[in-house]
Amino acid sequence: MKSRPDRQEGAHHAHPAVVQPNKPALLKRMNRIEGQVRGVAKMVEEDRYCVDVLTQISAIQSALDALAMQLLENHTNGCVRAAIKSGNGVAAVDELMTVVKRFSR
């Protein structure tokens, strides 16, 4: 990931905006997940069998986990690596571990 100094920092975080590697593939994954979620809503509207709905929800969770892992890999190989090289590795690794713990629950 490369920092985008020309973009303003988000009001929520004090981190610079980044350019995601493989952004088109990530967006394609997100669009597919969005379609799956709409499909589940339609299944509920149509009073579909509970197990079928739950199966689709499980597929969505798996897809979200795979997306999160890809983003985590991008972050580690981009932002964290850059922070280590610039001498800010301790904070970056602490932040990384906080995120990893969030996903390991």
Side-chain angles (χ1 to χ4, degrees):
M1 274 184 259
K2 294 182 276 184
S3 290
R4 294 274 313 259
D6 58 321
R7 295 181 63 183
Q8 289 188 1
E9 293 180 5
H12 183 254
H13 296 289
H15 302 287
V18 296
V19 176
Q20 286 290 334
N22 306 315
K23 186 189 287 188
L26 291 171
L27 292 171
K28 185 176 179 179
R29 276 182 161 191
M30 286 188 251
N31 287 333
R32 190 176 315 121
I33 292 166
E34 182 182 10
Q36 287 177 295
V37 171
R38 280 194 305 271
V40 168
K42 186 175 179 185
M43 291 174 79
V44 170
E45 273 182 20
E46 295 173 351
D47 298 319
R48 297 277 297 274
Y49 184 54
C50 298
V51 173
D52 293 341
V53 176
L54 291 167
T55 299
Q56 290 304 309
I57 290 171
S58 177
I60 293 167
Q61 287 175 326
S62 293
L64 283 170
D65 288 343
L67 176 64
M69 288 306 296
Q70 182 62 60
L71 288 167
L72 186 59
E73 183 178 335
N74 292 351
H75 178 67
T76 303
N77 287 320
C79 299
V80 175
R81 182 176 288 173
I84 290 169
K85 285 182 181 179
S86 70
N88 297 317
V90 173
V93 170
D94 287 347
E95 180 183 55
L96 175 64
M97 291 310 302
T98 298
V99 172
V100 169
K101 288 174 187 174
R102 189 177 306 148
F103 282 97
S104 66
R105 292 181 188 163

